[in-house]
Amino acid sequence: MAGSRRSFVKTAAPLLLAQTSGVAQQAGTGPSGAGNGDAAIPAVIVWRHDQRVEALLGRQITDERDPNAGGYADAWEIVSPQSGSAVVSIFASAFLCEQSRFFHHPELLRRILLASRFLERKQLASGNIDLLTTNFNSPPDTGFVVHNVAPAAILAKRAGESAIVGSLAPFLRKAGAAMAVGGVHTPNHRWVLSSALALIHHWEPRQEYLKRIEQWLAEGIDIDEDGLYTERSPLVYSPVVNRSLIFMAEFLGKPALLDPVRRNLEAALYLMHANGELETALSGRQDQNTVGSMGVNWMGLQYLAERDGNGVFATLARRSEGEFGDLALSMLLPVLQQRSTSEKPPASDYRKVFGNASLHRIRRGKRSVSIFTKGHDRVFSIRNGDAVVEAVRFASAFFGKGQFIPTSFSENENGIEMTQTLSGPYYQPLDAPEFVPADPAAWTRSRLQRRRSEVCEINQRVRVKEFADRFELEFIAEGTPHVPVAIEIGIRQGMVLEHVRTSPASPDTFLSTGELVSIRGMSDSLLVEAPASRHAYTQLRGALPKLPGPALYITGFTPFKEKVVFRTT
């Protein structure tokens, strides 16, 4: 069946695109021509959405003999219920948008109805769906799907498109009943479920939906004094929570739920680098240490830019609408179509402390620094424009546990000092001899009863101080002598390093020579002053694996006290 599906797509997709080409020619081939008449929604959003429609037309399985007809396969060749909801959302918004070149195209209607039948088949008797990569009979993942399907049903109802409304109604009613009693895994799931119920309630009111929403809201929104949600996930779950709260504020008449959205977006301004990327090392979810931009917050930025007259939000929303502007959301919430707020540049010179996240953020124009003072192995990162040091880490080969993860810190006029103290004991025979079974847990328990001897200790510290043109980092490891240590400077892929020597460990592992090191991007650079490495043992036993991409190491032995200086040019 998979083979027949592939051949069908190869032959049918070009035919469909040929059928729609007349409409495409009328509308033009780029953003400037992507509208019919006076465009309320920015043309670039409609144009980009139409490109997504074109791409999806060729991916959707349309052979109705295939049990997955209506969905499409992902990169792992799995056809999930989520794929059907994406088809519904993308195709329905284009079908209902007068500016789209797919407006009222009959083939799109056929594809929407095909996807709605797919969703019905994939829905479980409980009303939930499966997330085939990890979650089964999942109310939260049902909520994420409803975030796609319910807006399509609402828009179709507004437009009087009874065929679309009728095709989606069975799925939404069963999903609503399931979410009205279903549970969650994570903090954000509460707001995903609540907002999904709010959307269905707006489409077709039910008191049980409101009752369940109030149960979740009674727990309070999980945002701290710094504006960060529990999961501290700038690229994935903060935007999800913000979207959910906006839906509830809009469709339940609860404007107070916009306050955490404002606070979270204000916090995100201080996580933003000069190029719009966000600091992600603080995340507790899958976006940790990944690359992504402030544009993921487009909905919240645009919504509050117009509702509050916030010029900074307006600037960031308009910068990102070509990539992140959403047609379905723009049609659902007319405020997202407005562009009345004057733009204002975001701050680019500040020092901001996120206390609960143990994060100090510093911006000085193009220069951007993150310092994690407790609980993180990536204690420092710096970038100057497009020259990027992703992380600085420190470790010792101390009893297989010497990765520097600070447990305390202090701050004064000399900067920030982070500390960690480790011990490595040996163990004596039991004072009261007893048999120790061949069981790792039994051995571990027995160590609590044994006297310790030959106790080794190491104190590791990192000091960070800012100057006008540089940051100085001092690395100290004292106590047990002769312990190999290594400072790791992880560099973004694509940077050019000069005045280093290649380590025998791997082609992208480099050692300092004592010369001034240059780290160059396309336009900008960082200079690194560091002593010459004293050995090539970079992947220390007990240290975390080397970071992806090139890495520069400065190595030595305890007692160790060396300074690394990052200069911007």
Side-chain angles (χ1 to χ4, degrees), residues 24 81 98 187 285 353 449 457 472 476 516 532:
E98 293 185 9
R285 298 301 303 273
V353 177
Q449 305 169 25
E457 288 192 349
E472 292 187 356
I476 302 165
L516 187 65

mmCIF file of all heavy atoms in Angstrom, residues 24 81 98 187 285 353 449 457 472 476 516 532:
data_model
loop_
_atom_site.group_PDB
_atom_site.id
_atom_site.type_symbol
_atom_site.label_atom_id
_atom_site.label_comp_id
_atom_site.label_asym_id
_atom_site.label_seq_id
_atom_site.Cartn_x
_atom_site.Cartn_y
_atom_site.Cartn_z
ATOM 1 N N ALA A 24 -3.312 30.567 -9.276
ATOM 2 C CA ALA A 24 -2.008 31.042 -8.822
ATOM 3 C C ALA A 24 -1.514 32.177 -9.702
ATOM 4 O O ALA A 24 -0.950 33.164 -9.211
ATOM 5 C CB ALA A 24 -1.011 29.889 -8.844
ATOM 6 N N PRO A 81 -2.418 10.850 14.060
ATOM 7 C CA PRO A 81 -3.629 11.676 14.047
ATOM 8 C C PRO A 81 -3.319 13.163 13.894
ATOM 9 O O PRO A 81 -4.091 13.915 13.291
ATOM 10 C CB PRO A 81 -4.266 11.376 15.410
ATOM 11 C CG PRO A 81 -3.739 10.037 15.791
ATOM 12 C CD PRO A 81 -2.341 9.977 15.241
ATOM 13 N N GLU A 98 -10.478 34.714 1.562
ATOM 14 C CA GLU A 98 -10.662 35.327 0.249
ATOM 15 C C GLU A 98 -9.346 35.754 -0.380
ATOM 16 O O GLU A 98 -9.253 35.870 -1.602
ATOM 17 C CB GLU A 98 -11.603 36.529 0.353
ATOM 18 C CG GLU A 98 -13.032 36.154 0.717
ATOM 19 C CD GLU A 98 -13.957 37.349 0.686
ATOM 20 O OE1 GLU A 98 -13.515 38.425 0.224
ATOM 21 O OE2 GLU A 98 -15.120 37.215 1.124
ATOM 22 N N PRO A 187 2.825 20.606 33.496
ATOM 23 C CA PRO A 187 2.100 21.830 33.853
ATOM 24 C C PRO A 187 1.359 22.482 32.687
ATOM 25 O O PRO A 187 0.207 22.898 32.823
ATOM 26 C CB PRO A 187 3.212 22.741 34.387
ATOM 27 C CG PRO A 187 4.251 21.815 34.901
ATOM 28 C CD PRO A 187 4.227 20.630 33.972
ATOM 29 N N ARG A 285 12.759 21.371 29.076
ATOM 30 C CA ARG A 285 12.106 20.512 28.102
ATOM 31 C C ARG A 285 12.998 20.295 26.882
ATOM 32 O O ARG A 285 14.177 20.617 26.897
ATOM 33 C CB ARG A 285 10.748 21.112 27.691
ATOM 34 C CG ARG A 285 9.745 21.248 28.835
ATOM 35 C CD ARG A 285 9.420 19.919 29.523
ATOM 36 N NE ARG A 285 8.908 18.920 28.621
ATOM 37 C CZ ARG A 285 7.631 18.773 28.285
ATOM 38 N NH1 ARG A 285 6.716 19.574 28.806
ATOM 39 N NH2 ARG A 285 7.255 17.805 27.464
ATOM 40 N N VAL A 353 18.688 39.618 35.942
ATOM 41 C CA VAL A 353 18.870 38.406 36.730
ATOM 42 C C VAL A 353 17.541 37.661 36.834
ATOM 43 O O VAL A 353 16.529 38.233 37.239
ATOM 44 C CB VAL A 353 19.392 38.721 38.146
ATOM 45 C CG1 VAL A 353 19.503 37.443 38.975
ATOM 46 C CG2 VAL A 353 20.731 39.443 38.070
ATOM 47 N N GLN A 449 27.727 2.224 56.069
ATOM 48 C CA GLN A 449 28.126 1.677 57.367
ATOM 49 C C GLN A 449 29.649 1.625 57.542
ATOM 50 O O GLN A 449 30.134 1.274 58.611
ATOM 51 C CB GLN A 449 27.562 0.256 57.521
ATOM 52 C CG GLN A 449 26.047 0.167 57.335
ATOM 53 C CD GLN A 449 25.567 -1.264 57.217
ATOM 54 O OE1 GLN A 449 26.218 -2.190 57.711
ATOM 55 N NE2 GLN A 449 24.442 -1.469 56.547
ATOM 56 N N GLU A 457 39.773 15.590 48.409
ATOM 57 C CA GLU A 457 38.816 16.675 48.187
ATOM 58 C C GLU A 457 39.314 17.590 47.087
ATOM 59 O O GLU A 457 40.531 17.709 46.863
ATOM 60 C CB GLU A 457 38.583 17.483 49.463
ATOM 61 C CG GLU A 457 37.773 16.767 50.528
ATOM 62 C CD GLU A 457 37.323 17.696 51.635
ATOM 63 O OE1 GLU A 457 37.817 18.849 51.688
ATOM 64 O OE2 GLU A 457 36.463 17.281 52.442
ATOM 65 N N GLU A 472 36.319 38.456 31.712
ATOM 66 C CA GLU A 472 37.405 37.642 32.238
ATOM 67 C C GLU A 472 36.822 36.516 33.079
ATOM 68 O O GLU A 472 36.004 36.752 33.967
ATOM 69 C CB GLU A 472 38.353 38.478 33.088
ATOM 70 C CG GLU A 472 39.140 39.486 32.276
ATOM 71 C CD GLU A 472 40.199 40.198 33.106
ATOM 72 O OE1 GLU A 472 40.260 39.947 34.346
ATOM 73 O OE2 GLU A 472 40.966 40.994 32.536
ATOM 74 N N ILE A 476 39.558 27.869 38.839
ATOM 75 C CA ILE A 476 40.390 27.448 39.968
ATOM 76 C C ILE A 476 39.980 26.031 40.373
ATOM 77 O O ILE A 476 38.794 25.739 40.518
ATOM 78 C CB ILE A 476 40.219 28.402 41.166
ATOM 79 C CG1 ILE A 476 40.579 29.841 40.753
ATOM 80 C CG2 ILE A 476 41.064 27.947 42.354
ATOM 81 C CD1 ILE A 476 40.110 30.895 41.740
ATOM 82 N N LEU A 516 46.806 34.214 20.807
ATOM 83 C CA LEU A 516 45.476 34.813 20.809
ATOM 84 C C LEU A 516 44.608 34.063 19.800
ATOM 85 O O LEU A 516 44.923 34.005 18.612
ATOM 86 C CB LEU A 516 45.562 36.294 20.449
ATOM 87 C CG LEU A 516 44.271 37.110 20.559
ATOM 88 C CD1 LEU A 516 43.799 37.200 22.007
ATOM 89 C CD2 LEU A 516 44.496 38.511 19.975
ATOM 90 N N ALA A 532 48.532 28.111 27.217
ATOM 91 C CA ALA A 532 48.692 26.891 26.424
ATOM 92 C C ALA A 532 48.245 25.676 27.230
ATOM 93 O O ALA A 532 48.447 25.605 28.454
ATOM 94 C CB ALA A 532 50.143 26.735 26.000
#
